[in-house]
Amino acid sequence: MSYHTFRVFCFTCLHRHYVVHTKPFDVYVIAKRFSKASLQFSSSRSLSLGIPRRKFSLQHSKHLPFIQTLEASQTREKSGRHSEKKKTERKKAKSSPTKEKKKESVGLVIVESPAKAKTIQKFLPERYIVDSCMGHIRNLPESAKEIPDELKKLPWARLGVNVENNFEPIYTISKDKSKVVDHLKELVNSCDELILATDEDREGEAIAWHLVQVLQPKVPYKRAVFHEITKEAIIESFENLRDVHMNLVHAQEARRILDRLVGFTLSPILWKKIAPRLSAGRVQSVALAMIVQRELERITFRQSSFYNIVAKLALSPQYEINEMKEGLTAWLLAFNGKRLATGKDFDPTTGDLKKESIEEGIIHMDLQFAENLLERMMESGVTWKVKSVEKRKLSRKAPVPFITSTLQQESSRRLGFTAGETMRLAQDLYEQGFITYMRTDSPTLSNQAKIAAQKCIVEQFGRDFLQDAASSNNSPKVSKLAQEAHEAIRPAGTSFLSPVQVVNQVSPKHQKLYELIYRRTLASQMKNAEFFVTSVNIDSILEDGSIATFHTSGRTLVFEGYLKAFNEVYGIEENFDDLDDSPLSMHNKNLPALHEGQELYSFHLEPIMHSTKPPPRYTEAALIKALEAEGVGRPSTYASILETLVERKYVHRERSKGKSRTSLVPCLSAVSVVNLLNKHFPEVTDPQFTASMEEALDNIANGKADHIEYLRSYFLGEYGLQEKAKEKEKNIDSQEVRILSLPIRHENANESVQVKVGPYGPYIELIGNSTKKLNILNEMSPEELCSKTIQELVEERKGKFLGYDPESGHALFLKKGRFGWFLQLVEDNLSPESEGELEMEEEAQKRRVIKNVRLPANVNVESLDLANGLKWLSLPRVLGIDPHTGKEVVASVGPFGPYVGCDGKYISLKSGMASVFEIDLKTAVELISNPVTYQNRKKGNGSKRQY
DNA sequence: CAGTGAGCGAGCTTCCGCTTGACTT
């Protein structure tokens, strides 16, 4: 048996190993740098080594090894890589520390992400080991069980921050990070120097500090920061090492603690006053308030309609022949100098004209007005003349390179990906070295990236499309709040792979996203698009001298500019809100040349009705855009903000009719939560809170303010949050905040309706002669709540009458309960005629429940009739006596579906087994004594995993 | 369990930002 040596890279941590295998399934590993004990290999994951019909399985703890080459003899050593011999020497040095001093010292470099570690390793001299900590390694206790027992009794323990003593935080090592920490501890003990190369922002600085706190290095440690991952930048940063900036760390700590105090103080108030498990926070509550606000605007929206006249005009009286070619479309702008109303003139909450518009003397044209006017325009003697022609050259600026938020928005708009999906795809592209880091708020391109983009532009579109060096996009506006730890999102490297070149390396979705990033990066370095916009007013002079002024506009592309990068893939974009001056969105594609005083001829006039539209619901992309504009949230959290709201059942996604996009609809619980917060804690739904926090944090970072003082002033004292929360907890009337003041169209004068949110979810209260409470779905939109649905709910509550049990004479109803459908047999003292006519309360008085039987989830209730119902009603079914125990064996339906049971032991009947009605004693006893076969369990798990 | 929304009471729920995980043969 021959021995083969494989060179193996751990893909994730970049440790190098040699693998020697003797037999196909025996894998021995010689670790290059670490003791054998620290490496655990298992065969849970198979990796093809490229040898036909042979598979090897390796795993370095949880990291996936990357098998770079096959036999050592065939190893293609790149220049600059280290020879095998050199490595062996290193290993010896490692294993005998006494001799190590003579060798060159080893430096441990810690960055945040493994992919970054991999890249940086390439740029650094051999004596450095680069590893990653995967973001924050410590955190405030996530839940009650992470709080140390000895502190649990203290009043502030729940917060995880000692608010009685300088806001001292309790830090715990996150569960999923303990392995990372152990690993780094081991490394730091065997190196001579520690370099903290985490991101250059508030969070990165804090991570560096936490690393020092946790690792307790006995060797010197320093901080290195760089803006871009290039050899030059990294080397430079290593020549300019600095200390950890404690002010910056304090700013981060203040941010972290503030968020905790806000969230963990307000959430419990929601539990007490509305329902358990609700949440509030600096970021999520702002987002939620926006969504709810928009929904309320939609509910209070009143539509208004108005008419306009559209004129098709020709250049010559012989319009029949050339109408298509040279015609133009214009719409009525004003009549006798008075402007016609458009959508903007109406108040969305009343549907009436706005005050200012009325004062202006605006004309609100109805159909009759339009038709009258139209007739007068058709009379002979009416002339049409061009009154004015105005030409403007407008340019549309090339976009700036992608940052996280704009990537998510464009990816949603052009590719239909959600923010989460976009980030997952981008992560893959990043890890495989196709793009730069995807969580960034800096739109800056490095010089090498600009050069690479320019090269692509020249090659693909020509030199004419290249932006001037002095153009503004070379120094894009950076958001005031940007922390600039990374550069913009762009294709990686010093020369960009074209989208075609990546086709075979990634999935189609990845390719699409890569192409979007590629084109945006190129576009950012291209010239602006130039348009000629022509704006024309045309007078129609009526017989009595009245003047109807029409307006039209046209747009011609003079220079395609950066649009070329997009148009060839995404098609030509028609809508440019920033260029259009028509509120009725009418544009002539090919406006003929016109001059002042020119006579025109009308060949078609038509009244057109327009209606105002309610403001659209937010899409995920629009919400992210709005939050980013307010400075709320960070690139790493945009995609998860919405997930939180969905998880809390505050918001659900709804697919708009006929469109691919999904819009965000607030649930009823969200309305009550926002009600409470707006009324009692208005700052938490206000984006201004984050803005002022950022300002304070900047001062802390600059050393102008003290972080403890900041927290103290916010949380403690007479006007602090703590005191306020206590007072509110006492004074907020739970009954009052539960009520949602929603306009409900219920046309029953004898009844009033209220929507409330209780601990078990939303319900409506019908108050008439008696009070009825009816559960409604949390997802039900206020719009859907009307007389009809309320009536349906009342009917549903009554249940469906199936008939009478011939044996007992009792009535059988099919009802829907908290746990699904069930059958109810009630004693019936009523005549069949009075069925459904009595109020529920009366019914309840007259009827006594004899028996309830639940139905399994898969029963088709639509087709359930009396006979079937009686069959279910016969459950539970006694099968007989178990000879082993002497107890009764029963078949029935329980909370988990059909089962057989005996003496406290229950076994579910899976599909494929005998039904509850058919199963006999023998089969049941067998099932109970040999509960679940190995085969069965495996099947169950397998399907779960697949899902 | 069988249409609750009040209260009893132990113990729990909850925040935002960094980052990548992902369990038997």
mmCIF file of all heavy atoms in Angstrom, chain A residues 828-855:
data_model
loop_
_atom_site.group_PDB
_atom_site.id
_atom_site.type_symbol
_atom_site.label_atom_id
_atom_site.label_comp_id
_atom_site.label_asym_id
_atom_site.label_seq_id
_atom_site.Cartn_x
_atom_site.Cartn_y
_atom_site.Cartn_z
ATOM 1 N N ASP A 828 -80.346 19.780 23.025
ATOM 2 C CA ASP A 828 -81.110 20.733 22.235
ATOM 3 C C ASP A 828 -82.533 20.855 22.735
ATOM 4 O O ASP A 828 -83.307 19.914 22.662
ATOM 5 C CB ASP A 828 -81.103 20.275 20.772
ATOM 6 C CG ASP A 828 -81.617 21.372 19.876
ATOM 7 O OD1 ASP A 828 -81.853 22.479 20.388
ATOM 8 O OD2 ASP A 828 -81.771 21.109 18.689
ATOM 9 N N ASN A 829 -82.825 22.036 23.271
ATOM 10 C CA ASN A 829 -84.206 22.266 23.697
ATOM 11 C C ASN A 829 -84.935 23.173 22.739
ATOM 12 O O ASN A 829 -85.964 23.731 23.049
ATOM 13 C CB ASN A 829 -84.216 22.923 25.083
ATOM 14 C CG ASN A 829 -83.429 22.089 26.053
ATOM 15 O OD1 ASN A 829 -83.480 20.861 26.000
ATOM 16 N ND2 ASN A 829 -82.683 22.746 26.911
ATOM 17 N N LEU A 830 -84.312 23.410 21.588
ATOM 18 C CA LEU A 830 -84.889 24.390 20.670
ATOM 19 C C LEU A 830 -85.559 23.681 19.514
ATOM 20 O O LEU A 830 -85.199 22.573 19.146
ATOM 21 C CB LEU A 830 -83.781 25.270 20.111
ATOM 22 C CG LEU A 830 -82.919 25.998 21.139
ATOM 23 C CD1 LEU A 830 -81.704 26.562 20.470
ATOM 24 C CD2 LEU A 830 -83.734 27.071 21.813
ATOM 25 N N SER A 831 -86.482 24.384 18.927
ATOM 26 C CA SER A 831 -87.059 23.835 17.707
ATOM 27 C C SER A 831 -86.094 24.107 16.567
ATOM 28 O O SER A 831 -85.378 25.094 16.593
ATOM 29 C CB SER A 831 -88.400 24.525 17.425
ATOM 30 O OG SER A 831 -88.178 25.909 17.281
ATOM 31 N N PRO A 832 -86.058 23.226 15.590
ATOM 32 C CA PRO A 832 -85.116 23.404 14.482
ATOM 33 C C PRO A 832 -85.319 24.736 13.788
ATOM 34 O O PRO A 832 -84.373 25.320 13.278
ATOM 35 C CB PRO A 832 -85.446 22.249 13.539
ATOM 36 C CG PRO A 832 -86.224 21.281 14.336
ATOM 37 C CD PRO A 832 -86.875 22.032 15.455
ATOM 38 N N GLU A 833 -86.527 25.277 13.797
ATOM 39 C CA GLU A 833 -86.813 26.524 13.081
ATOM 40 C C GLU A 833 -86.061 27.702 13.681
ATOM 41 O O GLU A 833 -85.712 28.652 13.003
ATOM 42 C CB GLU A 833 -88.318 26.837 13.086
ATOM 43 C CG GLU A 833 -89.164 25.888 12.255
ATOM 44 C CD GLU A 833 -89.366 24.548 12.951
ATOM 45 O OE1 GLU A 833 -89.496 24.546 14.189
ATOM 46 O OE2 GLU A 833 -89.343 23.517 12.247
ATOM 47 N N SER A 834 -85.884 27.659 14.983
ATOM 48 C CA SER A 834 -85.260 28.809 15.621
ATOM 49 C C SER A 834 -83.730 28.776 15.473
ATOM 50 O O SER A 834 -83.047 29.651 15.961
ATOM 51 C CB SER A 834 -85.623 28.858 17.097
ATOM 52 O OG SER A 834 -85.059 27.746 17.764
ATOM 53 N N GLU A 835 -83.221 27.781 14.800
ATOM 54 C CA GLU A 835 -81.784 27.634 14.583
ATOM 55 C C GLU A 835 -81.165 28.913 14.039
ATOM 56 O O GLU A 835 -81.600 29.431 13.021
ATOM 57 C CB GLU A 835 -81.564 26.503 13.546
ATOM 58 C CG GLU A 835 -80.510 25.485 13.862
ATOM 59 C CD GLU A 835 -80.032 25.463 15.286
ATOM 60 O OE1 GLU A 835 -79.110 26.222 15.564
ATOM 61 O OE2 GLU A 835 -80.580 24.687 16.108
ATOM 62 N N GLY A 836 -80.162 29.420 14.679
ATOM 63 C CA GLY A 836 -79.443 30.555 14.138
ATOM 64 C C GLY A 836 -80.103 31.889 14.381
ATOM 65 O O GLY A 836 -79.537 32.928 14.091
ATOM 66 N N GLU A 837 -81.296 31.880 14.929
ATOM 67 C CA GLU A 837 -81.968 33.156 15.123
ATOM 68 C C GLU A 837 -81.697 33.764 16.482
ATOM 69 O O GLU A 837 -81.912 34.938 16.710
ATOM 70 C CB GLU A 837 -83.487 33.000 14.945
ATOM 71 C CG GLU A 837 -83.882 32.858 13.485
ATOM 72 C CD GLU A 837 -85.353 32.547 13.345
ATOM 73 O OE1 GLU A 837 -86.100 32.766 14.306
ATOM 74 O OE2 GLU A 837 -85.724 32.074 12.258
ATOM 75 N N LEU A 838 -81.264 32.927 17.364
ATOM 76 C CA LEU A 838 -81.064 33.421 18.721
ATOM 77 C C LEU A 838 -79.645 33.946 18.905
ATOM 78 O O LEU A 838 -78.712 33.535 18.231
ATOM 79 C CB LEU A 838 -81.312 32.286 19.720
ATOM 80 C CG LEU A 838 -82.752 31.802 19.754
ATOM 81 C CD1 LEU A 838 -82.825 30.499 20.533
ATOM 82 C CD2 LEU A 838 -83.652 32.837 20.385
ATOM 83 N N GLU A 839 -79.510 34.850 19.795
ATOM 84 C CA GLU A 839 -78.197 35.364 20.144
ATOM 85 C C GLU A 839 -77.384 34.252 20.793
ATOM 86 O O GLU A 839 -77.916 33.337 21.406
ATOM 87 C CB GLU A 839 -78.340 36.523 21.141
ATOM 88 C CG GLU A 839 -78.947 37.778 20.541
ATOM 89 C CD GLU A 839 -78.038 38.399 19.484
ATOM 90 O OE1 GLU A 839 -76.817 38.394 19.703
ATOM 91 O OE2 GLU A 839 -78.564 38.848 18.456
ATOM 92 N N MET A 840 -76.123 34.370 20.676
ATOM 93 C CA MET A 840 -75.256 33.326 21.214
ATOM 94 C C MET A 840 -75.474 33.093 22.704
ATOM 95 O O MET A 840 -75.463 31.980 23.176
ATOM 96 C CB MET A 840 -73.805 33.735 21.005
ATOM 97 C CG MET A 840 -73.272 33.339 19.667
ATOM 98 S SD MET A 840 -71.584 33.865 19.541
ATOM 99 C CE MET A 840 -71.799 35.615 19.597
ATOM 100 N N GLU A 841 -75.619 34.193 23.415
ATOM 101 C CA GLU A 841 -75.766 34.075 24.871
ATOM 102 C C GLU A 841 -77.015 33.266 25.219
ATOM 103 O O GLU A 841 -77.015 32.437 26.117
ATOM 104 C CB GLU A 841 -75.843 35.452 25.517
ATOM 105 C CG GLU A 841 -74.502 36.143 25.651
ATOM 106 C CD GLU A 841 -73.959 36.556 24.302
ATOM 107 O OE1 GLU A 841 -74.742 36.734 23.340
ATOM 108 O OE2 GLU A 841 -72.748 36.665 24.190
ATOM 109 N N GLU A 842 -78.087 33.540 24.456
ATOM 110 C CA GLU A 842 -79.324 32.808 24.704
ATOM 111 C C GLU A 842 -79.135 31.338 24.388
ATOM 112 O O GLU A 842 -79.551 30.473 25.146
ATOM 113 C CB GLU A 842 -80.450 33.387 23.847
ATOM 114 C CG GLU A 842 -80.784 34.815 24.234
ATOM 115 C CD GLU A 842 -81.725 35.427 23.215
ATOM 116 O OE1 GLU A 842 -82.867 34.971 23.131
ATOM 117 O OE2 GLU A 842 -81.289 36.345 22.501
ATOM 118 N N GLU A 843 -78.462 31.136 23.264
ATOM 119 C CA GLU A 843 -78.192 29.744 22.896
ATOM 120 C C GLU A 843 -77.475 29.030 24.016
ATOM 121 O O GLU A 843 -77.851 27.935 24.414
ATOM 122 C CB GLU A 843 -77.255 29.707 21.677
ATOM 123 C CG GLU A 843 -77.963 29.708 20.359
ATOM 124 C CD GLU A 843 -76.929 29.578 19.270
ATOM 125 O OE1 GLU A 843 -76.319 28.499 19.182
ATOM 126 O OE2 GLU A 843 -76.720 30.556 18.540
ATOM 127 N N ALA A 844 -76.426 29.688 24.493
ATOM 128 C CA ALA A 844 -75.592 29.064 25.507
ATOM 129 C C ALA A 844 -76.421 28.711 26.736
ATOM 130 O O ALA A 844 -76.203 27.682 27.365
ATOM 131 C CB ALA A 844 -74.461 30.001 25.904
ATOM 132 N N GLN A 845 -77.389 29.560 27.058
ATOM 133 C CA GLN A 845 -78.218 29.289 28.216
ATOM 134 C C GLN A 845 -79.102 28.065 28.003
ATOM 135 O O GLN A 845 -79.351 27.306 28.901
ATOM 136 C CB GLN A 845 -79.103 30.497 28.511
ATOM 137 C CG GLN A 845 -78.363 31.556 29.314
ATOM 138 C CD GLN A 845 -79.143 32.852 29.352
ATOM 139 O OE1 GLN A 845 -80.334 32.878 29.055
ATOM 140 N NE2 GLN A 845 -78.447 33.903 29.736
ATOM 141 N N LYS A 846 -79.548 27.930 26.780
ATOM 142 C CA LYS A 846 -80.493 26.862 26.521
ATOM 143 C C LYS A 846 -79.827 25.536 26.220
ATOM 144 O O LYS A 846 -80.485 24.510 26.185
ATOM 145 C CB LYS A 846 -81.388 27.242 25.335
ATOM 146 C CG LYS A 846 -82.157 28.507 25.600
ATOM 147 C CD LYS A 846 -83.535 28.397 25.042
ATOM 148 C CE LYS A 846 -84.344 29.623 25.494
ATOM 149 N NZ LYS A 846 -85.719 29.549 25.074
ATOM 150 N N ARG A 847 -78.538 25.608 25.921
ATOM 151 C CA ARG A 847 -77.899 24.376 25.486
ATOM 152 C C ARG A 847 -76.824 23.951 26.460
ATOM 153 O O ARG A 847 -76.078 24.754 27.005
ATOM 154 C CB ARG A 847 -77.264 24.594 24.115
ATOM 155 C CG ARG A 847 -78.325 24.745 23.059
ATOM 156 C CD ARG A 847 -77.711 25.041 21.751
ATOM 157 N NE ARG A 847 -78.686 24.772 20.709
ATOM 158 C CZ ARG A 847 -78.579 25.216 19.482
ATOM 159 N NH1 ARG A 847 -77.547 25.942 19.120
ATOM 160 N NH2 ARG A 847 -79.495 24.926 18.596
ATOM 161 N N ARG A 848 -76.729 22.686 26.620
ATOM 162 C CA ARG A 848 -75.713 22.144 27.498
ATOM 163 C C ARG A 848 -74.815 21.260 26.642
ATOM 164 O O ARG A 848 -75.296 20.450 25.855
ATOM 165 C CB ARG A 848 -76.361 21.312 28.603
ATOM 166 C CG ARG A 848 -75.459 21.029 29.772
ATOM 167 C CD ARG A 848 -76.301 20.640 30.972
ATOM 168 N NE ARG A 848 -77.168 19.501 30.654
ATOM 169 C CZ ARG A 848 -76.755 18.219 30.745
ATOM 170 N NH1 ARG A 848 -75.537 17.931 31.126
ATOM 171 N NH2 ARG A 848 -77.595 17.241 30.463
ATOM 172 N N VAL A 849 -73.533 21.467 26.779
ATOM 173 C CA VAL A 849 -72.598 20.684 25.975
ATOM 174 C C VAL A 849 -72.521 19.266 26.530
ATOM 175 O O VAL A 849 -72.310 19.065 27.727
ATOM 176 C CB VAL A 849 -71.197 21.328 25.985
ATOM 177 C CG1 VAL A 849 -70.206 20.433 25.256
ATOM 178 C CG2 VAL A 849 -71.250 22.705 25.354
ATOM 179 N N ILE A 850 -72.754 18.307 25.646
ATOM 180 C CA ILE A 850 -72.690 16.909 26.062
ATOM 181 C C ILE A 850 -71.288 16.353 25.835
ATOM 182 O O ILE A 850 -70.724 15.665 26.680
ATOM 183 C CB ILE A 850 -73.696 16.049 25.255
ATOM 184 C CG1 ILE A 850 -75.089 16.645 25.346
ATOM 185 C CG2 ILE A 850 -73.667 14.600 25.709
ATOM 186 C CD1 ILE A 850 -75.732 16.559 26.698
ATOM 187 N N LYS A 851 -70.716 16.720 24.676
ATOM 188 C CA LYS A 851 -69.431 16.117 24.340
ATOM 189 C C LYS A 851 -68.699 16.956 23.294
ATOM 190 O O LYS A 851 -69.314 17.535 22.408
ATOM 191 C CB LYS A 851 -69.672 14.716 23.768
ATOM 192 C CG LYS A 851 -68.425 13.859 23.669
ATOM 193 C CD LYS A 851 -68.816 12.479 23.191
ATOM 194 C CE LYS A 851 -67.613 11.568 23.138
ATOM 195 N NZ LYS A 851 -67.954 10.273 22.585
ATOM 196 N N ASN A 852 -67.370 17.040 23.447
ATOM 197 C CA ASN A 852 -66.524 17.674 22.438
ATOM 198 C C ASN A 852 -65.539 16.649 21.900
ATOM 199 O O ASN A 852 -64.944 15.911 22.670
ATOM 200 C CB ASN A 852 -65.720 18.814 23.045
ATOM 201 C CG ASN A 852 -66.586 20.018 23.337
ATOM 202 O OD1 ASN A 852 -67.462 20.354 22.551
ATOM 203 N ND2 ASN A 852 -66.337 20.636 24.473
ATOM 204 N N VAL A 853 -65.366 16.619 20.595
ATOM 205 C CA VAL A 853 -64.355 15.732 20.008
ATOM 206 C C VAL A 853 -63.552 16.526 18.980
ATOM 207 O O VAL A 853 -64.134 17.160 18.094
ATOM 208 C CB VAL A 853 -64.994 14.515 19.307
ATOM 209 C CG1 VAL A 853 -63.925 13.684 18.583
ATOM 210 C CG2 VAL A 853 -65.715 13.649 20.322
ATOM 211 N N ARG A 854 -62.252 16.519 19.126
ATOM 212 C CA ARG A 854 -61.463 17.281 18.157
ATOM 213 C C ARG A 854 -61.228 16.455 16.910
ATOM 214 O O ARG A 854 -61.229 15.220 16.926
ATOM 215 C CB ARG A 854 -60.148 17.754 18.758
ATOM 216 C CG ARG A 854 -59.164 16.664 19.043
ATOM 217 C CD ARG A 854 -57.906 17.255 19.623
ATOM 218 N NE ARG A 854 -57.239 18.116 18.668
ATOM 219 C CZ ARG A 854 -56.456 19.131 19.022
ATOM 220 N NH1 ARG A 854 -56.289 19.431 20.285
ATOM 221 N NH2 ARG A 854 -55.854 19.819 18.102
ATOM 222 N N LEU A 855 -61.027 17.155 15.802
ATOM 223 C CA LEU A 855 -60.746 16.496 14.522
ATOM 224 C C LEU A 855 -59.267 16.654 14.203
ATOM 225 O O LEU A 855 -58.693 17.701 14.483
ATOM 226 C CB LEU A 855 -61.573 17.154 13.413
ATOM 227 C CG LEU A 855 -63.085 17.023 13.539
ATOM 228 C CD1 LEU A 855 -63.776 17.928 12.540
ATOM 229 C CD2 LEU A 855 -63.511 15.575 13.330
#
